[in-house]
Amino acid sequence: MLIMFSFGTVALVIFIIALVFVIKTINVVPQQHAWVVERLGKYHATLAPGLNIVVPFIDRIAYKHSLKEIPLDVPPQVCITRDNTQLQVDGILYFQVTDAMRASYGSSNFITAITQLAQTTLRSVIGKMELDKTFEERDHINTTIVNAIDESAANWGVKVLRYEIKDLTPPAEILHAMQRQITAEREKRALIAASEGRRQEAINIASGEREAAIARSEGEKQAAINRAQGEATAIVALADASATALRQVGDAIRSPGGADAVNLRVAEEYVHAFGNLAKTNNSIIVPADLGNMSGLIASALQIVKAER
């Protein structure tokens, strides 16, 4: 009975030892991970993702690294600009482990090393720039920090991908001064825009008045031409009518009985004119020889004959 119990105990111990050997021997590495194996305290190999076999109790997994891109929040710090202005800068750094062996043995803590290097490089870059430039050249700051860190991080098996400034915070007094400057600049642009508007308005009004004056003068010129042409046409028509009337009168005089008609017409006009002259004046005009009325008429007829 004792022998059977002892045999069962030994079998159980052997099974447990075998199970431990299997667990220690077989290692499954996840995707985008790298495990560093040390053999008897010395670097031996880097296990790739998948199933890997190691020697139990001789090999051990010393370090486990993720090969994914890792964001690292760089603590905010106060930097001094070139024009002696304090500026609190907060940023974030993105890096990736590319060499698991160097990441394990290149630095005791590569994350702390990267963080410290990012802060010192940032202070150096900000110290070479004036305050206004720091807000305008964020891309330049980010690129400079990445290039400076990446060169040193290569020895640690780390690739620095990019650095982004999250916030730039100057002192409250500087913020107020910047706000006043922005307000003044906007007011200046508003005044310039208003003056440009008034200037353009004056130009438009002057141009409109000039075009209107030209149009009016052109209209007056055309109207004068039209009036002159109308008056000339009227004069020609009147002259033609007078000439026609005179020709008709002459033809009538030369016709049989025309001279007698003219004599009678002249006598009537003389008598009529003399009568009107006597009515329109306070004094009555009396010919010197009332009995010689026929003589006056005869004189008028002689004038008509002379005209003929």
Side-chain angles (χ1 to χ4, degrees):
M1 188 71 175
L2 183 60
I3 294 174
M4 291 179 62
F5 178 75
S6 299
F7 180 76
T9 303
V10 172
L12 180 61
V13 171
I14 293 174
F15 175 77
I16 294 174
I17 293 174
L19 182 61
V20 171
F21 264 83
V22 171
I23 294 174
K24 291 289 187 180
T25 301
I26 299 175
N27 292 273
V28 179
V29 179
Q31 182 65 32
Q32 285 296 95
H33 285 75
W35 292 1
V36 175
V37 177
E38 290 182 350
R39 175 167 292 178
L40 300 177
K42 183 180 179 181
Y43 171 77
H44 173 64
T46 300
L47 302 183
L51 183 63
N52 296 271
I53 298 176
V54 297
V55 179
F57 303 108
I58 297 177
D59 297 339
R60 75 180 185 90
I61 307 299
Y63 299 97
K64 296 180 179 180
H65 297 287
S66 174
L67 303 181
K68 301 177 183 179
E69 183 177 342
I70 301 173
L72 177 62
D73 190 8
V74 179
Q77 61 176 333
V78 177
C79 302
I80 306 296
T81 62
R82 184 178 179 181
D83 49 357
N84 296 324
T85 302
Q86 292 185 353
L87 186 66
Q88 183 171 326
V89 185
D90 186 11
I92 185 169
L93 184 70
Y94 296 86
F95 71 94
Q96 185 178 21
V97 176
T98 57
D99 190 336
M101 190 272 287
R102 289 190 176 185
S104 301
Y105 304 105
S107 174
S108 60
N109 190 332
F110 64 86
I111 294 180
T112 302
I114 291 174
T115 303
Q116 294 296 325
L117 187 57
Q119 289 182 319
T120 55
T121 305
L122 179 63
R123 285 195 295 268
S124 176
V125 174
I126 295 296
K128 297 177 182 178
M129 304 173 64
E130 295 182 355
L131 178 62
D132 293 338
K133 292 294 183 180
T134 58
F135 297 98
E136 299 173 2
E137 300 185 3
R138 287 196 177 193
D139 292 338
H140 172 69
I141 296 173
N142 297 338
T143 303
T144 304
I145 292 175
V146 169
N147 294 335
I149 299 176
D150 191 48
E151 184 178 355
S152 300
N155 297 325
W156 307 329
V158 176
K159 174 67 176 177
V160 178
L161 302 176
R162 60 187 181 277
Y163 178 86
E164 297 291 340
I165 295 178
K166 293 195 299 183
D167 192 18
L168 291 172
T169 308
E173 296 80 5
I174 300 298
L175 284 175
H176 294 159
M178 293 173 63
Q179 186 63 40
R180 290 194 298 269
Q181 181 180 2
I182 293 173
T183 303
E185 185 65 26
R186 289 179 178 175
E187 291 177 352
K188 174 185 175 183
R189 289 199 298 265
L191 291 175
I192 292 175
S195 65
E196 288 292 335
R198 290 192 296 269
R199 174 177 174 270
Q200 189 62 42
E201 179 184 6
I203 292 174
N204 293 339
I205 292 174
S207 178
E209 292 177 350
R210 175 176 174 272
E211 292 178 0
I214 293 174
R216 285 195 300 271
S217 65
E218 289 291 335
E220 293 173 356
K221 173 184 175 183
Q222 189 62 41
I225 293 174
N226 293 339
R227 286 195 298 271
Q229 291 177 348
E231 291 175 358
T233 303
I235 292 172
V236 171
L238 182 61
D240 290 340
S242 299
T244 301
L246 290 175
R247 283 194 298 270
Q248 291 177 355
V249 171
D251 292 339
I253 293 173
R254 284 191 296 269
S255 64
D260 294 336
V262 169
N263 293 335
L264 178 61
R265 182 65 177 171
V266 170
E268 290 177 351
E269 290 294 332
Y270 179 82
V271 172
H272 180 70
F274 184 79
N276 289 335
L277 181 62
K279 291 179 181 180
T280 55
N281 290 282
N282 294 328
S283 59
I284 298 175
I285 301 174
V286 179
D289 189 2
L290 292 175
N292 198 16
M293 181 66 70
S294 59
L296 294 174
I297 297 173
S299 299
L301 291 176
Q302 289 297 328
I303 296 172
V304 172
K305 291 179 179 179
E307 293 293 331
R308 291 171 55 190

